[in-house]
Amino acid sequence: MSDRRDGAPAEPTDDADPAVDGGHEPGSSTHTVRLELDDEPGQLLAALQPIASNGGNLLSIYHERGNKTPRGRIPVEVDFEATPDHFEAIVDAFHDEGVTVIQAGTERYAEELTLLLYGHLIDTDLSDTLSRIEASASTSVADVSLAAPRGTEDASSARLRLEARAGETATALDAVRDIAAEKGLRVVAPLVGVEA
């Protein structure tokens, strides 16, 4: 809508927001981020806010609501345009908002680590063990495969596939070892060449 009374269209300004007007900001390029969101109302909208707030121009969203991760989260792939500076600000904003970023552009924010826990996993509350692993060292449990005998008399084992922020796998492994030692469990890690 124009303020001009002569009916002529308003002059374009240099401060147009590309996230709002769909314009292409000079120096911007297309970026893809892969996120994991909790399956709760409003999570997708909240995850997109850092793009709009930091000068990005949303292009597409691939939202796999019916294909949840082992943690019960929803994988989402988002394509948007942004300058390199705005892209970094958007990724930082995702982290600040607690959004799980699996990959941003070519940089993977999650490194995988497969390990084996052995011992009385059921008696020591496996759910608590997994929750504590996820709460520590920016680590998430991507997959769990449990082998347990009937009853709780014998030891059981669980193969875990963990995802940690890039460069933090050693910290994640230390956290798992601390939790396991507290519960009297053994850790065999890392398992190399094991298909998840």
Side-chain angles (χ1 to χ4, degrees):
M1 183 179 233
S2 171
D3 290 327
R4 297 182 59 167
R5 300 197 188 259
D6 61 5
E11 294 291 323
T13 61
D14 290 336
D15 60 347
D17 183 354
V20 173
D21 70 7
H24 178 79
E25 187 172 349
S28 67
S29 57
T30 301
H31 303 277
T32 299
V33 293
R34 290 183 177 85
L35 312 171
E36 277 191 1
L37 305 179
D38 291 327
D39 189 12
E40 297 175 5
Q43 291 297 302
L44 181 59
L45 182 60
L48 297 178
Q49 188 60 41
I51 297 171
S53 299
N54 291 283
N57 182 29
L58 184 63
L59 298 175
S60 68
I61 305 168
Y62 183 63
H63 180 221
E64 296 183 75
R65 192 166 196 284
N67 185 21
K68 294 183 183 178
T69 67
R71 291 178 303 282
R73 295 181 182 151
I74 299 172
V76 177
E77 187 171 292
V78 182
D79 295 321
F80 59 91
E81 287 182 333
T83 64
D85 289 344
H86 287 166
F87 175 69
E88 293 301 323
I90 290 166
V91 173
D92 289 344
F94 283 137
H95 291 303
D96 292 345
E97 294 295 322
V99 176
T100 302
V101 179
I102 301 302
Q103 186 170 352
T106 58
E107 184 172 352
R108 289 191 61 80
Y109 283 79
E111 294 179 351
E112 290 189 358
L113 171 67
T114 303
L115 56 86
L116 185 71
L117 283 181
Y118 179 80
H120 289 282
L121 298 171
I122 309 298
D123 290 344
T124 58
D125 192 352
L126 179 59
S127 179
D128 173 68
T129 302
L130 298 176
S131 295
R132 289 179 59 190
I133 290 170
E134 284 207 328
S136 65
S138 303
T139 306
S140 59
V141 179
D143 188 51
V144 179
S145 178
L146 179 66
R150 293 178 193 243
T152 58
E153 301 298 320
D154 295 325
S156 53
S157 63
R159 186 191 69 209
L160 307 181
R161 183 167 54 88
L162 307 180
E163 291 179 345
R165 281 192 177 176
E168 295 185 12
T169 53
T171 304
L173 185 54
D174 288 344
V176 171
R177 286 184 171 137
D178 289 344
I179 294 166
E182 179 186 321
K183 294 190 171 199
L185 306 173
R186 291 184 180 173
V187 179
V188 179
L191 299 178
V192 180
V194 175
E195 292 293 322

